[in-house]
Amino acid sequence: MFAVTMAALLAAMILALGRLYLGPTLYDRVLSANSFGTKTVLLIGVMGFLTGRPDFLDISLLYALLNFIGTIAVLKFFRYRTLGDGVNPDGDGP
Amino acid sequence: MTALVTDAVSWAFLASGSFLVVVGALGLIRMPDFYTRLHAAGITDTLGADLILMGLMVQAGFSLVTVKLLLIGAFLFFTSPTSTHAIANAALTAGLNPRIADGAGAGTDSAAPEGDGK
Amino acid sequence: MGVDDILGLFNYWMVIVLMMIGLYTVVSRGNLVKKIVGLNIFQTSVFLLYISMGKVTGGTAPILTGKPEVYSNPLPHVLILTAIVVGVATTALGLALVVRIKNAYDTIEEDEIQAADDEKEFGDAAAAEDGRR
Amino acid sequence: MSIAAVIDISLLVFLGLTAFAILKLRALFAVVMLSSVFSLVSAALLVHLDAVDVAFTEAAVGAGISTVLMLATLALTSRREKAPTRSQALPLIVVFLTGLALVYGTLDMPRFGDPQAPIQVHVAPKYIADTQSEIGIPNIVTAVLASYRGFDTLGEVTVIFTAGIGVLLLLAGFIREPEGLRVQTMDHHLVLRVVTKMLIGPIMLFALYVQFHGDFGPGGGFQAGLIFASAFIIYALVFGLENARKAVPGRAVRLLVACGVLLYGGVGFVSFLFGKNYLNYSVLGVDQVAGQHLGILLVEFGVGLTVAAVMVSTFYAFAGQNQPISDEDW
């Protein structure tokens, strides 16, 4: 059964990768990268059970915690065009 | 007997979770515009993920593994909707319009396709 | 060469494919950020080569369980673990260089940097042609 | 074919596809997103190849820090790659021939997973057999990293230290005080601010867990340092660099960069004083195992300190640049 779940996750990852490649808007890309992250969390979790040593879930936990840093950075990047405290020439976000 | 029951329950969870994950991914690739894709990705990130984690929890029984799975579930439960919200918010403020009815007005100006689509 | 050989070498072949994609990105693309991403791909392929070599069939992660078990080789893991962090630190250094190049040349395309250098050395482009003749 | 082989092959093919997509795409933002996916898949593959510690490190790097650094660079340079002007034929031929030569070289290699391969019969069996009695911790990788091969790791930490200094030297001259600039702190993103505030605590707690649980499970100083740095970076992203600098001043971070390496080197020096070899921790405690425990704990802490401080100061250096990207580069 773990193998079936694994196959489903891999198939879903292929599809998400396809969307990431196709775009067309950059928001589609962020979205698919983000959902790819969730699938990897699950994949690593299931993989632990499949190999019989499920005590290595720390990696999944790490992704679950940190995966949205990337999303926040992207959001800030597109709204303010910088990751620091800089200010736009026109004074406000687009 | 109990082993059989736990296996059956966890397999039911895993199967339905896998199904939702695949459906969500299909939606991600097949839906016509960004906002509908957002909706499809949401299925994977919340219910699909939680069902799979629940299936694993039933397998693990009462142990540290279950606690870790619970934590993963809890963090995903908070971070996934937050990032989805953030992306949707960013897209809307950047001027990407939802596609309405007969295919007109899919995405406009500033947030339009990103140069080379390939 | 049987199926076992192909399966037994597939990891290495795929590592080589990745390595070559990374190398090709570095050599053929003019954009400096893209070059650094190419270097990262190359780097990851080297990591995978080491880790693949350390894997033992039927083995498990080298964290002792108290039961008799076959463990994969921990030595490549140690080498690569540190290499990843060193890798991200040196990537940061490379990216910092890219930022400074952008400051100095106002471009991060290799060709344009080269052209700007030529211009500085030989005057404008036409004079450069004369100078070479 | 076993399930393991199928997973192995599909993940490798995945990596190949992602790398190819990175090569093809010219929108650099998409390249950054793809390289984060590349890192995710390689972490999954590393778990599959039993290298949980390595996968953990890859995850800690790929989940946030490398994406953030790449994006920061894009924000300071350009978002678009220009079309290649030169002929691509020569590089393609060179790469193809090199690849063929390498594939030819693999034909003599021991097959994947062979327990009799030369790499499996030297050195490593000794580590696996002796770790429990000599070091007394279950995680062999940590034992080798911090004790058996402590010299190597000291070298690596020094490289990280040097790279951090390099970044600071390259970028520090360009950090301008944000006087007169309006500090942008994502005021209108209430949801983000609340969730971030909620998560920073658990992230730091998790970093501490990884730091001090590294003897027993996957983890250690390198991973913990990266996770700790991620917590500060997320704070700086959402609440503004200025506020982050108030919480952790740049000077303090730069000081910590050196402190970590000094701690590592200092532990080695202490064992000198007891008349033993450099970095021989056995003398630090009442018996060998206790000494090794203490030594590994201190050394890993030094590593974590340096890694976290280097990453935070690198982020400060990148995010502190105030040169708005021009419209043609956007």
Side-chain angles (χ1 to χ4, degrees), chain D residues 41-89:
Chain D
V41 180
S42 59
L45 185 57
L46 290 170
V47 175
H48 179 67
L49 295 176
D50 293 342
V52 276
D53 275 281
V54 185
F56 210 2
T57 322
E58 180 69 46
V61 170
I65 289 179
S66 62
T67 312
V68 168
L69 286 181
M70 292 267 179
L71 282 178
T73 312
L74 292 195
L76 294 168
T77 54
S78 170
R79 248 185 71 192
R80 234 160 261 296
E81 181 195 355
K82 298 206 170 101
T85 49
R86 284 165 299 173
S87 156
Q88 307 285 303

Side-chain angles (χ1 to χ4, degrees), chain C:
Chain C
M1 178 164 250
V3 180
D4 278 354
D5 281 339
I6 293 178
L7 277 181
L9 292 174
F10 184 79
N11 267 52
Y12 304 128
W13 292 345
M14 222 38 221
V15 162
I16 289 169
V17 168
L18 285 178
M19 208 179 264
M20 289 305 117
I21 291 179
L23 182 64
Y24 183 69
T25 314
V26 175
V27 184
S28 71
R29 298 293 184 249
N31 186 290
L32 295 179
V33 174
K34 191 76 169 274
K35 273 181 197 282
I36 287 182
V37 176
L39 273 179
N40 277 340
I41 295 177
F42 196 106
Q43 200 182 345
T44 309
S45 77
V46 176
F47 298 163
L48 289 175
L49 176 69
Y50 271 63
I51 301 295
S52 298
M53 278 163 47
K55 166 83 180 165
V56 180
T57 307
T60 179
I63 295 176
L64 300 170
T65 50
K67 287 169 279 180
E69 270 185 274
V70 182
Y71 296 104
S72 286
N73 197 329
L75 206 51
H77 299 183
V78 176
L79 300 178
I80 298 312
L81 193 162
T82 51
I84 289 178
V85 187
V86 170
V88 73
T90 46
T91 302
L93 190 65
L95 292 173
L97 275 172
V98 172
V99 171
R100 286 303 301 273
I101 288 173
K102 171 76 178 175
N103 281 341
Y105 289 89
D106 201 36
T107 176
I108 53 167
E109 299 287 335
E110 202 181 27
D111 298 344
E112 294 170 13
I113 295 168
Q114 190 66 46
D117 270 351
D118 282 350
E119 205 177 301
K120 209 183 269 174
E121 203 169 333
F122 302 110
D124 60 61
E129 282 301 305
D130 289 343
R132 277 177 200 146
R133 241 178 258 143

Side-chain angles (χ1 to χ4, degrees), chain D:
Chain D
M1 274 201 298
S2 61
I3 294 176
V6 174
I7 296 170
D8 187 57
I9 290 172
S10 42
L11 286 177
L12 277 168
V13 170
F14 236 128
L15 277 181
L17 286 177
T18 318
F20 189 69
I22 289 177
L23 176 68
K24 292 292 282 181
L25 283 174
R26 286 222 306 280
L28 289 179
F29 172 73
V31 168
V32 172
M33 286 289 104
L34 276 167
S35 71
S36 89
V37 164
F38 189 80
S39 158
L40 284 167
V41 180
S42 59
L45 185 57
L46 290 170
V47 175
H48 179 67
L49 295 176
D50 293 342
V52 276
D53 275 281
V54 185
F56 210 2
T57 322
E58 180 69 46
V61 170
I65 289 179
S66 62
T67 312
V68 168
L69 286 181
M70 292 267 179
L71 282 178
T73 312
L74 292 195
L76 294 168
T77 54
S78 170
R79 248 185 71 192
R80 234 160 261 296
E81 181 195 355
K82 298 206 170 101
T85 49
R86 284 165 299 173
S87 156
Q88 307 285 303
L90 185 64
L92 201 60
I93 293 170
V94 169
V95 163
F96 193 70
L97 289 180
T98 321
L100 275 187
L102 287 173
V103 168
Y104 178 69
T106 60
L107 297 181
D108 287 338
M109 281 182 79
R111 301 299 180 255
F112 175 69
D114 182 3
Q116 294 310 317
I119 185 178
Q120 317 291 8
V121 293
H122 297 293
V123 196
K126 181 192 172 304
Y127 291 146
I128 294 173
D130 293 349
T131 294
Q132 191 61 54
S133 58
E134 286 185 358
I135 315 283
I137 61 174
N139 189 348
I140 306 173
V141 175
T142 305
V144 178
L145 179 98
S147 184
Y148 287 118
R149 291 189 164 256
F151 268 60
D152 286 10
T153 311
L154 179 60
E156 308 274 15
V157 176
T158 317
V159 173
I160 295 166
F161 169 77
T162 317
I165 301 284
V167 172
L168 289 180
L169 282 177
L170 280 170
L171 294 182
F174 284 77
I175 296 176
R176 279 170 233 152
E177 289 301 313
E179 273 172 60
L181 290 181
R182 199 170 54 80
V183 175
Q184 295 174 332
T185 53
M186 299 183 131
D187 282 328
H188 39 273
H189 285 292
L190 185 66
V191 177
L192 263 189
R193 289 168 70 94
V194 170
V195 172
T196 310
K197 227 174 229 175
M198 234 169 56
L199 277 180
I200 285 177
I203 291 177
M204 287 186 170
L205 197 63
F206 185 62
L208 289 175
Y209 164 77
V210 171
Q211 171 84 50
F212 295 111
H213 194 258
D215 299 0
F216 305 98
F222 285 99
Q223 295 91 334
L226 290 165
I227 300 170
F228 221 79
S230 304
F232 288 111
I233 289 175
I234 201 173
Y235 182 79
L237 281 175
V238 175
F239 296 96
L241 191 60
E242 198 48 33
N243 288 324
R245 282 223 181 93
K246 266 181 214 148
V248 199
R251 283 180 73 91
V253 183
R254 289 199 289 275
L255 204 65
L256 287 178
V257 172
C259 281
V261 184
L262 272 179
L263 179 60
Y264 200 138
V267 171
F269 195 70
V270 170
S271 52
F272 251 170
L273 294 181
F274 285 97
K276 283 287 163 88
N277 285 338
Y278 194 66
L279 290 176
N280 182 349
Y281 315 131
S282 302
V283 291
L284 296 178
V286 284
D287 59 10
Q288 184 184 354
V289 169
Q292 292 285 351
H293 262 299
L294 184 63
I296 290 177
L297 206 66
L298 287 173
V299 162
E300 290 271 18
F301 185 63
V303 171
L305 216 55
T306 297
V307 171
V310 164
M311 292 304 152
V312 171
S313 58
T314 305
F315 175 75
Y316 279 179
F318 272 96
Q321 310 276 309
N322 277 316
Q323 43 168 17
I325 184 168
S326 65
D327 280 335
E328 68 201 87
D329 285 333
W330 182 246

